[in-house]
Amino acid sequence: MREEFRRELEDTLYIHSLLPLHREKSVEAAFPGKKVLEQKAVWSKEEQKIAPVCGKAGTLRICSRDGDACIGITAPLESDHWPEGAPEDGDYCNYGRAEVRFPVEREDWSGYNRLHFWVNPQVPGAQIVHLNVGIKNQGNILIPDLYEREGFQVYDLENNRWNECFWEFPSLPRDCVTELYFYVFLCGRDVTMGPELTYLYKDIRIEKIEKPEKEWGWECAPGDIVLSGAGYFREGEKTAVASLDEETFGVYKAETGVCVYTGKIQWLTNEKGTFQILDFTRVCEEGFYYLQAGEHKSQLFEIAEDIVEENVWRVVNFLYAQRCGMPIEGKHGTCHQDIVARHQGVTITYAGGWHDAGDASQQTAQTGEIVHALLEMASKYKTRSPKLYKRLLEEASWGLDFILRTRFGDGYRATSAGATRWTNNRIGDMDDVEARVYNHAYENALFAGIEGYAGMVLREENEAAAWGSLQAAREDLEFAERRFETHGLEVVQMFEHTYNSGLSQYYAVFVWAASILYEATGEREYAGKAEYWCDRLLACQETGAAGLPFTGFFYRDEKQDTIVHFNHQARDHQFMQALVEICRSQPDADRKPVWEEGIKRYAGYLKALEAYAKPYGMIPSGVYRKDEYLNKELFPYLHLGCEYEAEKENYKEQLEKGIPVGEDHVIRNFPVWFSFRGNTLPILSEGKAASLAGRYLGDETLLQIGREQLYWIFGKNPFGHSLMYGAGGRYPSQYAVFPGESVGEMPVGIETKGNEDIPYWPQGNNATYREIWTSTASRWLWLAADYVKN
């Protein structure tokens, strides 16, 4: 661990306050220094031809501040009614927005690629303040798009001071701009906040800059060397990708500038393009380095046995910032005590766990998965780093308490709540949020496995919590089996994030949970349950009937007509989690060779996908049938908020953009998707599947697949951006409206444009692709845990 980071960690009391953001290392830190070639005022002290228009809420005025002309808007933060068209219960609802609009007379802004302005937010008592900006285009391509993903930018601001803001948009359609607008969500009040907000705007202009950020394509920007800025493991391959006109490169010690290795730059041409590969696998001595080829120099990076520890602390920092139901210094006061769940006359306060995203919603399943991931990581640091071990257990206990106390004790539990507002913590008035309550076989089995695992990990540290977790696990597995017997695969509604689970996932969590309970209790009945469900799980695995050059992937059920896919939420790892655990818990079972064959088949599938992963190592999304777009019945479960008829032809085109394999299938690098886009969870989940199988089989190729997904997150991607805020360098701002920017956050992920299968990472900072999710934290912890030696 670097000494500078160690001091910061100690200053937080091992993250009981938050790590500093170090915005000076962010992508946006370079924006003020970029060369401006042309500019045009939209509204400034000198240019006020466009009259601003106020939205439905607030009062607009032209004023003067510090000698500059400003536009000011003042609006109340809450109301006694929901906006027109909002649901009656206020689900996923706020009180509207304070909006300032600038009507534009169908102007062509194609010659400009950046917006530049100043804003001064004045929100008394607020710890986090934000701003949204939007552009409307009525040209060849309409902006905003159908799902309101394109044409927006969001800023995390400092309160009561002027903030200089930039929005680079080189890829945004802007040939016929009709409006520029600024708005702030009216999200209620935190415990310390005043009743209203005031925002001041000045010096709004569009600019043409010399070198905007790369936003599209597989090849990195000319002159760039992209690599894992947070480091490389000593073990395994170490490569960077470049776009240079050089023949050789050197690896240099950061402290001395001494070259320790010289290599020849390799050229790679494939279906993605032409790339230069800098391979420095032979450098294994621990330390900090940089790569240099001619005048081109990379950022610093570390080579170490453990590049995980510092970044685990960062992820713990993010999770602590996402805690619901308690005051977090620099974020919010005690929150959401008036989110309640009701069942058969019993009421439970639902505050707790972790807010699940850039809003203030809660998903119990995601909180549970985070608990498991934290405990799995903790088990790796028990002797290696006792302080980290204790802190991981502490954070896990926060979530474990939540998933235990939100059980009603009869199979029903509080499962989720949609909240895009702060509430006043007073139960019974208008701003309350009602949590959803379900008895669901899949989720109860999932929780049984999580609780059973907690029961084992906590035995030495917290005997009471361990006992209570194990008892809950026994009950929840029984509830799950009973529910499945009567209801089978059960669809609830789209706001449950386990909504798209197929039968094979049910079987996988049953196998995993029963195996965990067998390991925890030694009771043979659980071994029998695991065996029963494993037979059903393996009946869903491809074994050769599809006529492909590989087998091993899973279908949604035993009929084997629909392949398991994920697009933003992802649980690919559950199949290997189940098979590895049953083999590990029953090492002498007669059917163990059958189970191991299932692992080997899936390992072969991952290796087949890996052949298409070069040069960045990003594992492709998977194999698809060419005719999947005809499955109207399944469509709404996999593609939330979309209409089948509206997207049917787009679905077909996305499949056509895939890489043909066999007669009836294609491989997609990125998932088929429409509204919800971003591939962080899919690649981390597949990476976890690879690391689980790799560790069990002792297969280095599989283990390298897992490492490469971590490297992609840390900046070895076409854009050279670290997707974990604070890790390495060149980390971009993310969509974090409610919690604000936090070290350790990760977004939903890099997306594609339209129906392409090519990386797209616009600087417009919007949901979903740039939205922070706590589920990304669980997937990262799960995967990274497999590379910690204990």
Side-chain angles (χ1 to χ4, degrees):
M1 185 184 297
R2 293 173 300 114
E3 186 58 34
E4 176 191 7
F5 184 78
R6 187 187 305 277
R7 289 196 299 269
E8 292 180 348
L9 193 56
E10 290 172 351
D11 288 344
T12 69
L13 299 180
Y14 295 95
I15 307 178
H16 294 89
S17 59
L18 298 175
L19 288 166
L21 287 168
H22 288 298
R23 294 186 194 267
E24 73 277 4
K25 297 181 182 179
S26 70
V27 170
E28 292 76 21
F31 286 5
K34 291 193 176 185
K35 185 176 181 180
V36 178
L37 305 176
E38 297 179 34
Q39 60 178 315
K40 174 183 177 180
V42 176
W43 196 97
S44 67
K45 181 179 180 179
E46 297 78 20
E47 178 60 70
Q48 300 183 22
K49 290 181 181 179
I50 300 177
V53 178
C54 186
K56 294 180 179 179
T59 303
L60 192 68
R61 67 187 187 282
I62 307 297
C63 56
S64 178
R65 180 63 60 92
D66 303 325
D68 285 325
C70 305
I71 298 168
I73 185 169
T74 300
L77 285 165
E78 56 191 0
S79 172
D80 60 359
H81 62 277
W82 305 122
E84 184 179 349
E88 291 184 9
D89 62 358
D91 188 46
Y92 280 103
C93 190
N94 52 47
Y95 301 103
R97 57 196 204 182
E99 188 175 63
V100 179
R101 303 196 304 270
F102 294 89
V104 179
E105 293 295 331
R106 303 180 68 84
E107 292 185 5
D108 186 350
W109 286 8
S110 300
Y112 303 91
N113 53 24
R114 182 168 87 171
L115 177 69
H116 182 188
F117 65 95
W118 293 80
V119 58
N120 187 332
Q122 299 171 6
V123 192
Q127 300 181 70
I128 296 295
V129 290
H130 77 280
L131 172 68
N132 301 64
V133 181
I135 288 176
K136 291 184 180 179
N137 187 69
Q138 296 294 317
N140 293 327
I141 299 177
L142 297 180
I143 298 295
D145 63 298
L146 175 63
Y147 301 112
E148 297 197 331
R149 306 306 190 193
E150 293 273 11
F152 299 96
Q153 170 74 321
V154 180
Y155 301 90
D156 182 39
L157 304 176
E158 293 187 43
N159 203 6
N160 298 308
R161 64 174 291 271
W162 284 107
N163 295 257
E164 187 177 18
C165 299
F166 302 90
W167 175 12
E168 293 187 5
F169 43 64
S171 302
L172 183 71
R174 53 195 186 281
D175 56 324
C176 183
V177 176
T178 58
E179 190 169 87
L180 171 68
Y181 52 111
F182 301 76
Y183 60 97
V184 183
F185 292 122
L186 303 174
C187 298
R189 291 197 283 163
D190 188 10
V191 294
T192 61
M193 290 168 64
E196 63 183 20
L197 59 76
T198 294
Y199 274 58
L200 303 174
Y201 303 94
K202 70 175 183 178
D203 200 14
I204 305 167
R205 61 187 68 248
I206 51 175
E207 300 172 335
K208 179 180 180 180
I209 58 172
E210 189 172 46
K211 294 181 71 174
E213 288 293 310
K214 174 184 171 63
E215 293 191 331
W216 177 88
W218 285 106
E219 295 169 340
C220 58
D224 275 4
I225 301 173
V226 299
L227 48 69
S228 175
Y232 291 82
F233 295 100
R234 286 180 59 189
E235 295 184 3
E237 296 178 7
K238 307 175 194 69
T239 61
V241 183
S243 178
L244 309 173
D245 188 18
E246 304 290 341
E247 294 184 356
T248 61
F249 74 99
V251 182
Y252 292 80
K253 275 278 193 180
E255 299 88 344
T256 63
V258 173
C259 182
V260 298
Y261 176 78
T262 301
K264 186 176 181 180
I265 295 176
Q266 303 166 19
W267 287 83
L268 169 70
T269 299
N270 60 17
E271 70 280 352
K272 297 184 177 78
T274 298
F275 308 91
Q276 291 178 301
I277 309 300
L278 285 60
D279 189 330
F280 52 100
T281 301
R282 292 175 59 183
V283 181
C284 295
E285 182 182 348
E286 294 198 357
F288 287 87
Y289 299 88
Y290 61 88
L291 306 183
Q292 188 160 351
E295 297 180 354
H296 304 282
K297 185 175 176 180
S298 77
Q299 63 176 298
L300 296 183
F301 62 92
E302 184 180 13
I303 295 176
E305 181 182 77
D306 183 1
I307 64 168
V308 171
E309 184 177 355
E310 265 197 28
N311 296 302
V312 173
W313 282 111
R314 291 188 174 97
V315 173
V316 170
N317 178 86
F318 166 60
L319 290 172
Y320 179 73
Q322 291 288 118
R323 282 191 184 188
C324 174
M326 66 171 283
I328 303 295
E329 182 182 354
K331 298 297 185 183
H332 57 75
T334 300
C335 63
H336 300 113
Q337 297 289 322
D338 46 359
I339 298 183
V340 296
R342 308 179 199 277
H343 173 62
Q344 293 189 344
V346 175
T347 300
I348 293 175
T349 298
Y350 192 61
W354 299 279
H355 295 142
D356 85 321
D359 55 24
S361 298
Q362 168 63 277
Q363 294 275 338
T364 311
Q366 288 182 189
T367 285
E369 289 173 327
I370 294 165
V371 169
H372 179 261
L374 288 166
L375 291 173
E376 186 170 324
M377 184 63 80
S379 69
K380 301 302 180 71
Y381 280 103
K382 187 172 184 178
T383 57
R384 189 180 183 95
S385 176
K387 288 186 175 67
L388 179 54
Y389 169 70
K390 288 284 190 181
R391 186 60 186 85
L392 286 164
L393 290 186
E394 178 190 7
E395 199 64 28
S397 294
W398 173 259
L400 180 62
D401 173 80
F402 179 78
I403 66 172
L404 292 177
R405 67 177 172 79
T406 51
R407 301 169 70 246
F408 283 98
D410 60 352
Y412 285 82
R413 67 191 328 132
T415 57
S416 66
T420 54
R421 61 182 181 271
W422 300 114
T423 58
N424 60 17
N425 299 313
R426 301 167 189 161
I427 297 172
D429 58 6
M430 176 222 169
D431 75 346
D432 295 357
V433 178
E434 189 83 9
R436 291 173 274 269
V437 174
Y438 288 107
N439 178 358
H440 195 256
Y442 173 85
E443 291 203 358
N444 275 327
L446 178 67
F447 286 117
I450 294 165
E451 292 154 351
Y453 186 80
M456 289 190 293
V457 173
L458 296 176
R459 277 174 180 162
E460 294 182 10
E461 300 293 336
N462 189 335
E463 184 178 352
W467 184 89
S469 297
L470 195 55
Q471 291 303 111
R474 291 175 181 274
E475 294 175 4
D476 283 343
L477 184 57
E478 185 178 345
F479 291 142
E481 291 181 314
R482 192 183 308 161
R483 186 75 180 187
F484 189 79
E485 287 173 6
T486 57
H487 290 75
L489 186 150
E490 192 173 8
V491 175
V492 283
Q493 53 96 0
M494 65 169 283
F495 287 121
E496 298 295 324
H497 283 194
T498 58
Y499 178 73
N500 64 356
S501 303
L503 270 176
S504 56
Q505 280 179 263
Y506 281 66
Y507 302 154
V509 294
F510 275 118
V511 173
W512 179 63
S515 298
I516 289 287
L517 277 166
Y518 178 51
E519 185 178 358
T521 68
E523 297 173 12
R524 282 297 308 171
E525 70 167 299
Y526 292 116
K529 291 175 185 289
E531 290 184 35
Y532 169 77
W533 292 111
C534 199
D535 285 345
R536 300 185 73 172
L537 172 62
L538 290 175
C540 302
Q541 190 177 31
E542 168 62 33
T543 58
L548 291 166
F550 51 81
T551 62
F553 56 87
F554 283 87
Y555 295 92
R556 288 179 63 86
D557 56 37
E558 297 92 332
K559 292 181 294 191
Q560 295 199 2
D561 54 5
T562 54
I563 302 169
V564 172
H565 296 306
F566 299 96
N567 45 44
H568 64 300
Q569 284 285 345
R571 294 181 171 87
D572 286 285
H573 62 279
Q574 288 180 329
F575 303 115
M576 288 303 96
Q577 201 176 45
L579 291 175
V580 168
E581 185 59 33
I582 193 173
C583 289
R584 200 174 67 83
S585 63
Q586 299 190 53
D588 301 318
D590 292 340
R591 292 189 60 74
K592 182 183 174 185
V594 176
W595 307 331
E596 287 184 329
E597 189 60 32
I599 297 174
K600 293 173 183 176
R601 281 194 293 266
Y602 197 81
Y605 171 56
L606 290 173
K607 289 179 180 180
L609 294 180
E610 191 271 339
Y612 300 92
K614 297 182 187 321
Y616 298 100
M618 184 202 84
I619 190 77
S621 169
V623 64
Y624 293 72
R625 284 187 57 91
K626 291 179 181 178
D627 61 359
E628 286 186 16
Y629 70 97
L630 297 174
N631 194 333
K632 182 177 182 179
E633 182 180 359
L634 183 61
F635 182 88
Y637 305 125
L638 300 184
H639 304 287
L640 308 185
C642 304
E643 294 293 332
Y644 172 74
E645 294 299 336
E647 299 294 3
K648 179 181 177 181
E649 289 304 311
N650 291 322
Y651 200 151
K652 180 181 179 183
E653 185 176 338
Q654 289 191 43
L655 292 171
E656 290 170 348
K657 297 284 187 180
I659 304 164
V661 54
E663 294 185 5
D664 303 316
H665 296 78
V666 298
I667 288 174
R668 288 272 306 179
N669 291 296
F670 290 87
V672 171
W673 47 22
F674 306 101
S675 175
F676 289 83
R677 299 180 181 227
N679 79 330
T680 298
L681 271 74
I683 65 170
L684 290 178
S685 187
E686 286 180 279
K688 177 63 174 178
S691 67
L692 282 165
R695 288 180 69 210
Y696 186 81
L697 299 173
D699 190 314
E700 174 57 29
T701 300
L702 294 172
L703 291 171
Q704 187 63 28
I705 290 173
R707 291 187 196 103
E708 292 292 350
Q709 310 322 303
L710 297 175
Y711 296 159
W712 171 276
I713 295 296
F714 288 146
K716 188 186 170 187
N717 54 58
F719 312 99
H721 288 186
S722 173
L723 303 185
M724 180 187 288
Y725 203 96
R730 280 183 55 77
Y731 33 85
S733 64
Q734 300 180 31
Y735 183 89
V737 173
F738 272 78
E741 217 85 77
S742 301
V743 168
E745 69 189 18
M746 286 173 280
V748 176
I750 292 170
E751 59 165 342
T752 59
K753 182 186 291 186
N755 294 328
E756 296 174 343
D757 197 19
I758 299 170
Y760 180 45
W761 189 234
Q763 297 307 295
N765 181 4
N766 194 31
T768 56
Y769 55 97
R770 287 218 186 199
E771 185 175 8
I772 61 168
W773 275 16
T774 52
S775 50
T776 57
S778 68
R779 299 329 186 253
W780 187 91
L781 288 166
W782 265 327
L783 175 56
D786 284 339
Y787 297 91
V788 179
K789 293 184 176 180
N790 56 351

Coordinates of all heavy atoms in Angstrom, one line a residue, residues 174-211:
R174 N -26.2 17.4 -33.4 CA -26.4 18.8 -33.0 C -26.5 19.6 -34.3 O -26.1 20.8 -34.3 CB -25.4 19.3 -32.0 CG -24.0 19.1 -32.5 CD -22.9 19.3 -31.4 NE -21.6 19.2 -31.9 CZ -20.9 18.1 -32.2 NH1 -21.5 17.0 -32.1 NH2 -19.6 18.2 -32.6
D175 N -27.1 19.1 -35.3 CA -27.2 19.8 -36.6 C -28.4 20.7 -36.6 O -28.5 21.6 -37.5 CB -27.3 18.8 -37.7 CG -28.4 17.8 -37.6 OD1 -28.7 17.4 -36.5 OD2 -29.0 17.5 -38.6
C176 N -29.3 20.6 -35.7 CA -30.5 21.5 -35.6 C -30.9 21.6 -34.2 O -32.0 21.1 -33.8 CB -31.6 20.9 -36.5 SG -33.1 22.0 -36.6
V177 N -30.2 22.4 -33.4 CA -30.4 22.6 -32.0 C -31.6 23.6 -31.8 O -31.6 24.7 -32.4 CB -29.2 23.1 -31.3 CG1 -29.4 23.4 -29.8 CG2 -28.0 22.0 -31.4
T178 N -32.5 23.2 -31.0 CA -33.7 24.0 -30.7 C -33.8 24.5 -29.2 O -34.6 25.4 -28.9 CB -35.0 23.3 -31.0 OG1 -35.1 22.1 -30.3 CG2 -35.1 23.0 -32.5
E179 N -33.0 23.9 -28.4 CA -33.0 24.3 -27.0 C -31.8 23.8 -26.2 O -31.3 22.7 -26.4 CB -34.3 23.8 -26.3 CG -34.6 24.4 -24.9 CD -36.0 24.1 -24.4 OE1 -36.1 23.0 -23.8 OE2 -36.9 24.9 -24.7
L180 N -31.3 24.7 -25.3 CA -30.4 24.3 -24.3 C -31.1 24.6 -23.0 O -31.7 25.6 -22.8 CB -29.1 25.2 -24.4 CG -28.1 25.0 -23.2 CD1 -27.4 23.7 -23.3 CD2 -27.0 26.1 -23.4
Y181 N -31.0 23.6 -22.0 CA -31.7 23.8 -20.8 C -31.0 23.3 -19.6 O -30.2 22.3 -19.7 CB -33.1 23.2 -20.9 CG -33.2 21.8 -21.3 CD1 -33.6 20.8 -20.4 CD2 -33.0 21.4 -22.6 CE1 -33.7 19.4 -20.8 CE2 -33.1 20.1 -23.0 CZ -33.5 19.1 -22.1 OH -33.6 17.8 -22.5
F182 N -31.1 23.9 -18.5 CA -30.5 23.6 -17.2 C -31.6 23.3 -16.2 O -32.6 24.0 -16.1 CB -29.7 24.8 -16.7 CG -28.6 25.2 -17.6 CD1 -28.8 26.0 -18.8 CD2 -27.2 24.9 -17.4 CE1 -27.8 26.4 -19.6 CE2 -26.2 25.3 -18.2 CZ -26.5 26.1 -19.3
Y183 N -31.4 22.2 -15.4 CA -32.5 21.9 -14.5 C -31.9 21.2 -13.3 O -30.9 20.5 -13.3 CB -33.6 21.1 -15.1 CG -33.2 19.8 -15.7 CD1 -33.4 18.6 -15.0 CD2 -32.7 19.7 -17.0 CE1 -33.1 17.3 -15.5 CE2 -32.4 18.4 -17.5 CZ -32.5 17.3 -16.8 OH -32.2 16.1 -17.3
V184 N -32.6 21.3 -12.1 CA -32.2 20.7 -10.9 C -33.5 20.0 -10.4 O -34.6 20.5 -10.3 CB -31.8 21.7 -9.9 CG1 -31.3 21.1 -8.6 CG2 -30.7 22.6 -10.4
F185 N -33.3 18.7 -10.0 CA -34.4 17.9 -9.5 C -34.8 18.5 -8.1 O -33.9 18.7 -7.3 CB -34.1 16.5 -9.3 CG -33.9 15.8 -10.6 CD1 -32.7 15.1 -11.0 CD2 -34.9 15.7 -11.6 CE1 -32.6 14.4 -12.2 CE2 -34.8 15.1 -12.8 CZ -33.6 14.4 -13.1
L186 N -36.1 18.7 -7.9 CA -36.6 19.1 -6.6 C -36.9 17.8 -5.8 O -37.9 17.2 -5.9 CB -37.8 20.0 -6.7 CG -37.6 21.2 -7.6 CD1 -38.9 22.0 -7.8 CD2 -36.5 22.2 -7.0
C187 N -35.9 17.4 -4.9 CA -35.9 16.1 -4.3 C -36.2 16.1 -2.9 O -35.8 15.2 -2.1 CB -34.5 15.4 -4.6 SG -34.1 15.2 -6.3
G188 N -36.9 17.1 -2.4 CA -37.2 17.1 -1.0 C -36.0 17.6 -0.2 O -35.0 18.1 -0.7
R189 N -36.1 17.5 1.2 CA -35.1 18.0 2.0 C -34.5 17.0 2.9 O -35.1 16.2 3.5 CB -35.7 19.1 2.9 CG -36.2 20.4 2.1 CD -36.4 21.5 3.0 NE -37.6 21.4 3.8 CZ -37.9 22.2 4.8 NH1 -37.0 23.0 5.4 NH2 -39.1 22.0 5.4
D190 N -33.2 17.1 3.0 CA -32.4 16.4 4.0 C -32.7 17.0 5.4 O -33.3 18.1 5.5 CB -30.9 16.4 3.7 CG -30.1 15.5 4.5 OD1 -30.6 14.7 5.3 OD2 -28.8 15.7 4.4
V191 N -32.2 16.4 6.5 CA -32.6 16.9 7.8 C -32.0 18.3 8.1 O -32.5 19.0 9.0 CB -32.1 15.9 8.9 CG1 -32.9 14.6 8.8 CG2 -30.6 15.7 8.8
T192 N -31.0 18.7 7.4 CA -30.3 20.0 7.6 C -30.7 21.0 6.6 O -30.3 22.2 6.8 CB -28.8 19.9 7.7 OG1 -28.3 19.4 6.4 CG2 -28.4 18.9 8.8
M193 N -31.4 20.7 5.6 CA -31.6 21.6 4.5 C -32.7 22.6 4.7 O -33.7 22.3 5.3 CB -31.9 20.8 3.2 CG -30.7 20.0 2.7 SD -31.0 18.8 1.4 CE -31.6 19.9 0.1
G194 N -32.6 23.8 4.1 CA -33.6 24.8 4.1 C -34.7 24.5 3.1 O -34.7 23.4 2.4
P195 N -35.7 25.3 3.0 CA -36.9 25.0 2.2 C -36.7 25.2 0.7 O -37.6 24.8 -0.1 CB -38.0 25.9 2.7 CG -37.2 27.1 3.2 CD -35.9 26.6 3.7
E196 N -35.7 25.9 0.2 CA -35.6 26.2 -1.2 C -34.2 26.3 -1.7 O -33.2 26.2 -0.9 CB -36.3 27.6 -1.5 CG -35.6 28.8 -0.8 CD -36.4 30.1 -1.1 OE1 -37.6 30.0 -1.5 OE2 -35.7 31.1 -1.0
L197 N -34.1 26.3 -3.0 CA -32.7 26.4 -3.6 C -32.7 27.6 -4.5 O -33.7 28.1 -5.0 CB -32.4 25.1 -4.4 CG -33.3 24.7 -5.6 CD1 -33.2 25.5 -6.9 CD2 -33.1 23.2 -5.9
T198 N -31.5 28.1 -4.8 CA -31.3 29.2 -5.7 C -30.0 28.8 -6.5 O -29.0 28.4 -6.0 CB -31.0 30.5 -5.1 OG1 -32.2 31.0 -4.4 CG2 -30.6 31.6 -6.1
Y199 N -30.1 28.8 -7.9 CA -29.0 28.6 -8.7 C -28.8 29.8 -9.6 O -29.7 30.4 -10.2 CB -29.3 27.4 -9.6 CG -28.9 26.0 -9.0 CD1 -29.5 25.6 -7.8 CD2 -28.0 25.2 -9.6 CE1 -29.2 24.4 -7.3 CE2 -27.7 24.0 -9.1 CZ -28.3 23.6 -7.9 OH -28.0 22.4 -7.3
L200 N -27.5 30.2 -9.7 CA -27.1 31.3 -10.6 C -26.3 30.8 -11.7 O -25.4 29.9 -11.5 CB -26.3 32.3 -9.8 CG -26.9 33.0 -8.6 CD1 -25.9 33.8 -7.8 CD2 -28.2 33.8 -8.9
Y201 N -26.5 31.3 -13.0 CA -25.8 30.9 -14.1 C -25.2 32.1 -14.8 O -25.8 33.2 -14.9 CB -26.7 30.2 -15.1 CG -27.4 29.0 -14.6 CD1 -28.7 29.1 -14.0 CD2 -26.8 27.7 -14.6 CE1 -29.4 28.0 -13.5 CE2 -27.5 26.6 -14.1 CZ -28.8 26.8 -13.6 OH -29.4 25.7 -13.1
K202 N -24.0 31.9 -15.4 CA -23.4 33.0 -16.1 C -22.4 32.5 -17.2 O -22.0 31.3 -17.1 CB -22.6 33.9 -15.2 CG -21.3 33.4 -14.6 CD -20.6 34.4 -13.8 CE -19.3 33.8 -13.2 NZ -18.5 34.8 -12.5
D203 N -22.1 33.3 -18.1 CA -21.1 33.1 -19.2 C -21.2 31.7 -19.8 O -20.3 30.9 -19.8 CB -19.7 33.2 -18.5 CG -18.6 33.4 -19.6 OD1 -18.9 33.8 -20.7 OD2 -17.4 33.2 -19.3
I204 N -22.4 31.5 -20.5 CA -22.7 30.3 -21.1 C -22.3 30.3 -22.6 O -22.7 31.2 -23.3 CB -24.2 30.0 -21.0 CG1 -24.7 30.0 -19.5 CG2 -24.5 28.6 -21.6 CD1 -26.2 30.0 -19.3
R205 N -21.4 29.4 -23.0 CA -21.0 29.5 -24.4 C -20.7 28.1 -24.9 O -20.5 27.1 -24.2 CB -19.7 30.3 -24.5 CG -18.5 29.9 -23.7 CD -17.4 30.9 -23.7 NE -17.7 32.1 -23.0 CZ -17.9 33.3 -23.5 NH1 -17.7 33.4 -24.9 NH2 -18.2 34.3 -22.8
I206 N -20.7 28.0 -26.3 CA -20.3 26.7 -26.9 C -18.9 27.0 -27.5 O -18.6 28.1 -28.0 CB -21.3 26.3 -28.0 CG1 -21.7 27.4 -28.9 CG2 -22.5 25.7 -27.3 CD1 -22.6 26.9 -30.1
E207 N -18.1 25.9 -27.6 CA -16.7 26.1 -28.0 C -16.4 24.9 -29.0 O -16.9 23.8 -28.9 CB -15.8 26.1 -26.8 CG -16.0 27.2 -25.8 CD -15.2 27.1 -24.6 OE1 -14.8 25.9 -24.2 OE2 -15.0 28.1 -23.9
K208 N -15.4 25.2 -29.8 CA -14.7 24.1 -30.5 C -13.3 24.0 -30.0 O -12.5 25.0 -30.0 CB -14.6 24.5 -32.0 CG -13.9 23.4 -32.9 CD -13.8 23.8 -34.3 CE -13.1 22.8 -35.1 NZ -13.0 23.1 -36.6
I209 N -13.0 22.8 -29.4 CA -11.7 22.6 -28.8 C -10.9 21.6 -29.7 O -11.4 20.9 -30.5 CB -11.8 22.0 -27.4 CG1 -12.6 20.7 -27.4 CG2 -12.5 23.0 -26.4 CD1 -12.6 20.0 -26.0
E210 N -9.6 21.6 -29.4 CA -8.7 20.9 -30.3 C -8.8 19.4 -30.2 O -8.8 18.7 -31.2 CB -7.3 21.4 -30.1 CG -6.2 20.9 -31.1 CD -4.9 21.6 -30.9 OE1 -4.4 21.7 -29.7 OE2 -4.3 22.0 -31.9
K211 N -8.8 18.9 -28.9 CA -8.7 17.5 -28.7 C -9.8 17.0 -27.7 O -9.5 16.8 -26.6 CB -7.3 17.0 -28.3 CG -6.2 17.3 -29.3 CD -4.9 16.8 -28.8 CE -4.8 15.3 -28.7 NZ -3.4 14.8 -28.3

